[in-house]
Amino acid sequence: MKKLFILLEAAFLTLLLCMFGAYVRQAEASAGSSLIIYYSLSGNTKNVAATLRELVGGDIMEIKTVHPYPDDFDAVVEQARAERNSGFLPPIQDLALSPEDYDVIYLGYPVWANTIPQPLSTFLSQHHLAGTTIVPFCTHDGYGPGRSVQVIRSLCPEANVLPGFDMLGSQARQARELLVAWLKELGIPPQQSAEAGQTPILITIGEHWLEGILNSGSEARQFLEMLPLGISMVQYGGREYYGGMEQRIDTEEQGRLFFDNGDITYCPENNSIAIFYAQTDRPNLTMHVIPMGKVTSDLSLFDALQQRENITFSLKK
């Protein structure tokens, strides 16, 4: 009898340890995990989402409808009104990531008719975000966030929905300072949250070297695994050095058509890396780029370089 009791006790302890181990692994996998997910029709919300990712890190994903909206603005307004009045939820494309796997979701959207766009309603109807912290951010034409945050709270009653961020869509490229102030109000100082996911690197150009950082995005993590990596890069437009790679970076993100000085970016369209060092009279890009990090040293060195340079990216030891 005593032997049976010992065996049962051992089995019970083993079960407890297994359960505890599974809990710890799950907690480690999700601790601090964040996702920026957004819907953007004109590109303004996309620009804000890209800047936000630079400040808080994490993964990023875009919500896309199966059937695109018309190109004509008035036609979009009419279709959106009809969808809203009828309660129609436009189908959206399958997502590459599972939102339920994240603790914090930054939820971006344009404000349509004082509320969220129907594609976002579709997303929220398909995903149960109970226990998730939702951080809304939106762009608008001057009338503010309207009822959008209240609507999100009503559609996600078991989530913790924080105060939202809003700004004029026409000023989306100047979102950084406003986002920094908002994050600090929420108790998320961007300089701390970003540092936690940054990796210091060295950029060697002949006898010169520069310091930089890579962010925590999936593209930057893949690039990090390739280091040390030398790339033959050519100067273009007085604003950047860029060069192609043999190995591709897998990404679902389209990127953006503008840059900040010091940006280290990846372009999926031509599989190239670029370092942007100066704003010029041609700030708009013709191909989308995904920010992976920044040069933190003085950028004036680039003005003295040759037209073509061999540039090596490596981990800072």
Side-chain angles (χ1 to χ4, degrees):
M1 188 71 175
K2 183 176 182 181
K3 183 177 180 180
L4 178 61
F5 177 77
I6 293 174
L7 289 173
L8 289 173
E9 185 179 48
F12 180 69
L13 288 173
T14 300
L15 178 61
L16 285 178
L17 286 173
C18 290
M19 292 174 62
F20 179 74
Y23 172 79
V24 169
R25 287 191 296 272
Q26 181 180 3
E28 288 176 345
S30 62
S33 62
S34 63
L35 171 68
I36 299 171
I37 185 165
Y38 64 93
Y39 173 73
S40 182
L41 186 63
S42 68
N44 291 332
T45 305
K46 176 192 282 286
N47 289 339
V48 176
T51 303
L52 180 60
R53 189 196 192 189
E54 295 176 15
L55 297 173
V56 301
D59 293 323
I60 188 167
M61 184 167 53
E62 182 175 3
I63 298 169
K64 297 181 179 180
T65 56
V66 173
H67 307 291
Y69 281 92
D71 293 330
D72 180 72
F73 176 78
D74 292 334
V76 172
V77 172
E78 186 61 31
Q79 180 175 330
R81 180 185 297 113
E83 291 175 348
R84 189 170 56 254
N85 291 340
S86 67
F88 176 74
L89 297 177
I92 59 176
Q93 298 179 21
D94 293 338
L95 302 177
L97 301 170
S98 175
E100 287 81 3
D101 293 339
Y102 295 84
D103 298 322
V104 179
I105 292 180
Y106 294 88
L107 188 64
Y109 55 92
V111 175
W112 289 4
N114 207 41
T115 187
I116 64 174
Q118 287 299 96
L120 192 66
S121 296
T122 303
F123 165 75
L124 293 176
S125 72
Q126 293 177 354
H127 296 277
H128 304 290
L129 302 178
T132 302
T133 296
I134 297 177
V135 193
F137 64 97
C138 66
T139 59
H140 55 78
D141 290 332
Y143 296 97
R147 299 184 296 108
S148 63
V149 176
Q150 294 94 310
V151 171
I152 292 171
R153 287 196 174 104
S154 68
L155 294 174
C156 306
E158 298 181 60
N160 177 30
V161 182
L162 299 185
F165 169 86
D166 70 276
M167 70 173 300
L168 283 170
S170 60
Q171 299 176 359
R173 292 191 178 186
Q174 290 79 47
R176 181 176 295 273
E177 290 187 7
L178 294 174
L179 285 170
V180 168
W182 170 62
L183 290 169
K184 287 182 178 179
E185 289 179 2
L186 295 180
I188 312 173
Q191 63 273 16
Q192 294 180 10
S193 56
E195 284 174 4
Q198 290 177 349
T199 302
I201 61 171
L202 286 179
I203 303 164
T204 307
I205 312 171
E207 298 179 353
H208 305 283
W209 57 268
L210 301 168
E211 293 186 351
I213 53 171
L214 293 179
N215 60 40
S216 61
S218 61
E219 298 83 12
R221 293 197 298 268
Q222 293 176 66
F223 184 63
L224 187 62
E225 293 177 358
M226 302 177 189
L227 305 189
L229 178 65
I231 303 176
S232 177
M233 305 182 77
V234 63
Q235 188 271 124
Y236 176 78
R239 69 187 186 190
E240 67 182 279
Y241 275 83
Y242 76 95
M245 302 189 301
E246 293 184 2
Q247 187 174 350
R248 293 196 66 87
I249 292 176
D250 294 328
T251 180
E252 297 291 333
E253 175 61 18
Q254 184 180 18
R256 65 189 193 182
L257 291 172
F258 67 95
F259 64 92
D260 294 325
N261 289 350
D263 277 352
I264 302 171
T265 67
Y266 174 66
C267 177
E269 295 176 63
N270 63 3
N271 193 40
S272 66
I273 301 297
I275 301 175
F276 291 91
Y277 62 90
Q279 297 288 330
T280 66
D281 57 357
R282 300 176 63 187
N284 297 322
L285 307 177
T286 56
M287 289 189 285
H288 292 83
V289 297
I290 302 171
M292 298 192 300
K294 278 190 174 295
V295 177
T296 55
S297 297
D298 186 358
L299 297 172
S300 61
L301 170 65
F302 288 96
D303 294 323
L305 298 180
Q306 302 297 317
Q307 178 68 18
R308 181 177 291 275
E309 295 280 359
N310 291 318
I311 300 180
T312 299
F313 299 83
S314 59
L315 278 171
K316 182 180 178 182
K317 299 180 180 179

